[in-house]
Amino acid sequence: MATIDFWYSIGSTYSYLTVMRLPDLAKRNGVTFRWRPFNVRHVMTEQNNIPFKDKPQKTAYMWRDVERRAEAYGLHPALPAPYPLAGLVLANQVAVLGAEEGWVEDYTRATYRRWFEAGLPAGEDPNLTESLAEIGQDPARVLETARSSRIADKLAQDTTVAMALGVFGSPTMAVGDEIFWGDDRVDDAIAWARKSAGG
C-alpha cells in the first residue's frame, strides 16, 4: 500500500479541508497517510513569510476560498473561524504526542471540527479538553505530557525535518522526496504515490 507523509500544522486554515476528508480519501484510494504535525509558524517566520498579516483583501479571499472548497466537499464550517491561533504550538505538541500514541488523526479531526464548526480555537480550552475527552484521552495527562520539554523538543525536531524536506506550508503531502503543497494537490499526491508503488 502506498504511503504518503501528511505534513500539517494545526493553525493552518486550508488544512481543515484536508484533515476532514483525508480518512475517506485514504480508504477510497487504497493509500495510507502518515500524519506528521509540525510548527508552520516557525517555518513561515524563518522564511519571512507571514501570508495574511496586515493583508485584509488576501484574508477575505482566503476565507471565501475555504468556504467554496468546503461546500464542494460537503463540509459546513462557520466562517471566519478564530484566526490566528494563540495556542498553535500547544495544539501541535498535543498532536505530536498523539502521533506517538496512535490517536493523532482522531484528535486532529476533533480539534479542527470544534475550531471551524463551533468557533472554539484549537490549542486552548474548551477545545483541547473537549476534543481529548471525545476521543477517550485523559485531558490532564495529555496536556501535562504535551507541555513537557521532551514533546516540545520533538515538535521542534520534526519541524526541522519538514524544512529539510522542503516543506514550507501546511498542508503538504510528501511521497519520498516529492512535495505536493496545498489541499488542491492531495489528488496529485495520491496519484504519484500509487504510481510509485506500482498501483
Side-chain angles (χ1 to χ4, degrees):
M1 184 177 286
T3 300
I4 300 170
D5 279 330
F6 172 49
W7 290 97
Y8 73 98
S9 188
I10 300 170
S12 158
T13 55
Y14 279 96
S15 292
Y16 163 76
L17 300 167
T18 311
V19 161
M20 300 312 291
R21 64 196 186 98
L22 215 54
D24 183 56
L25 285 171
K27 185 176 180 181
R28 279 204 329 257
N29 291 282
V31 298
T32 298
F33 288 95
R34 185 165 60 149
W35 295 55
R36 306 289 304 271
F38 74 105
N39 184 347
V40 74
R41 185 174 290 162
H42 173 77
V43 174
M44 290 185 164
T45 300
E46 283 288 302
Q47 297 178 348
N48 194 28
N49 175 23
I50 311 300
F52 301 110
K53 182 177 171 58
D54 302 322
K55 299 178 179 77
Q57 292 87 359
K58 189 172 184 180
T59 301
Y61 172 83
M62 177 266 293
W63 288 123
R64 181 59 186 138
D65 194 35
V66 169
E67 184 177 45
R68 285 191 303 253
R69 297 182 70 82
E71 183 177 348
Y73 297 150
L75 300 172
H76 306 285
L79 301 178
Y83 180 81
L85 291 181
L88 180 149
V89 173
L90 179 57
N92 287 288
Q93 287 176 200
V94 171
V96 166
L97 179 60
E100 288 186 351
E101 297 185 353
W103 42 264
V104 64
E105 182 178 324
D106 290 340
Y107 158 70
T108 301
R109 287 167 53 79
T111 201
Y112 259 101
R113 191 181 308 111
R114 282 181 173 79
W115 176 21
F116 268 69
E117 298 172 17
L120 302 174
E124 57 189 77
D125 275 332
N127 187 320
L128 273 172
T129 299
E130 290 180 2
S131 295
L132 290 166
E134 176 190 318
I135 65 168
Q137 296 299 316
D138 174 19
R141 178 197 73 83
V142 167
L143 292 173
E144 180 179 4
T145 307
R147 289 184 171 109
S148 69
S149 58
R150 181 182 74 81
I151 295 296
D153 290 347
K154 181 70 165 61
L155 177 61
Q157 290 163 8
D158 289 350
T159 301
T160 298
V161 170
M163 293 174 71
L165 194 62
V167 173
F168 57 86
S170 174
T172 294
M173 280 59 60
V175 183
D177 294 333
E178 293 289 338
I179 299 296
F180 300 84
W181 171 59
D183 176 70
D184 58 348
R185 293 295 183 266
V186 178
D187 290 341
D188 292 350
I190 290 171
W192 190 275
R194 294 180 67 181
K195 175 180 155 186
S196 300

